Amino acid sequence: MPDSHDHLALLQARLGYTFRQPALLLEALTHPSYLQDHPEAGAHNQRLEFLGDAVLHFTLTDALFRHFPNEREGTLSRRRATLSKGEFLSRLARDLGLHNCLRLSRSEEDSGGRQRASIREDALEAVAGAIYLDSDLETARRVVLAWYGSLSAHLEQREDRENPKGRLQELVQPAHGNNALRYELVGTSGPLHAREYEVAVLLNDRQLGTGRGSSKKLAEEAAAQKALTTLHSEWG
């Protein structure tokens, strides 16, 4: 059973927190659908999700504010959004094993609810709220940050993938200025209705990488991604 003692003990070990009030953890893991089959189970996790969302946002806001003292509000907001978006939280919940302990209705279970990203995300926020209620804000903050690990590493990976050209510009600008990068069309191939472009990115006169794509924009992004990989391996 998902809410068996062994499953919950393992989950708490992975969370890095042991509940003084185990009922709070059960509530955080209870999807609203579960009450359709088990009306005696008590509360579902939507109220805790509401609270946990605030706990997560405060924790990330505080951590980013301290970790990036020279960044402007817009950059901090964008980075917080990256770390708190549903896709990221769902993957974090999966890594913690929350999906193994969710309490779902039979119909939700049969329809694949245990693997549904939105359900995992809601449960993670609910668990954060439950930890806050079971302890205090400082404890909840510490536990949540341990789930994330290195914020800088996560942000670097996401920003490289989502905006490789912008990230590459940020990396080279301090040492080389604003105009050191340029993208050159190397060649095109394929029929007119399915043209493929190849673009090289150069730092001054040094080629950092090439990329291909169905448009010049996509080829430039692919080249920038290659360049980022090259620079990360050189700079460590």
Side-chain angles (χ1 to χ4, degrees), residues 45-175:
N45 64 8
Q46 286 186 335
R47 280 175 54 84
L48 286 176
E49 174 201 342
F50 169 76
L51 179 62
D53 176 71
V55 172
L56 283 172
H57 271 73
F58 172 77
T59 296
L60 292 172
T61 300
D62 179 70
L64 292 169
F65 183 86
R66 296 174 188 276
H67 194 71
F68 300 102
N70 298 317
E71 294 289 5
R72 296 185 176 183
E73 177 190 0
T75 300
L76 294 174
S77 295
R78 175 173 53 81
R79 289 178 168 169
R80 182 181 61 190
T82 294
L83 295 170
S84 62
K85 63 173 54 175
E87 173 196 352
F88 191 97
L89 293 183
S90 174
R91 181 162 57 85
L92 195 58
R94 183 196 62 207
D95 292 344
L96 290 167
L98 280 188
H99 58 293
N100 294 323
C101 296
L102 291 172
R103 301 208 294 178
L104 307 169
S105 68
R106 177 62 63 86
S107 62
E108 190 67 55
E109 182 83 62
D110 292 344
S111 67
R114 196 168 297 280
Q115 301 302 325
R116 190 163 293 128
S118 60
I119 291 179
R120 294 202 304 257
E121 173 195 350
D122 292 348
L124 183 70
E125 292 175 338
V127 168
I131 292 173
Y132 166 71
L133 288 181
D134 196 61
S135 56
D136 52 49
L137 183 57
E138 178 55 32
T139 300
R141 191 186 68 84
R142 173 181 54 78
V143 172
V144 167
L145 288 178
W147 297 347
Y148 276 88
S150 171
L151 297 183
S152 294
H154 285 307
L155 288 168
E156 189 172 275
Q157 291 174 354
R158 303 288 292 191
E159 290 171 350
D160 284 359
R161 185 164 61 248
E162 294 176 0
N163 183 20
K165 291 181 66 177
R167 180 63 178 154
L168 181 61
Q169 181 68 29
E170 288 179 2
L171 282 180
V172 304
Q173 182 176 337

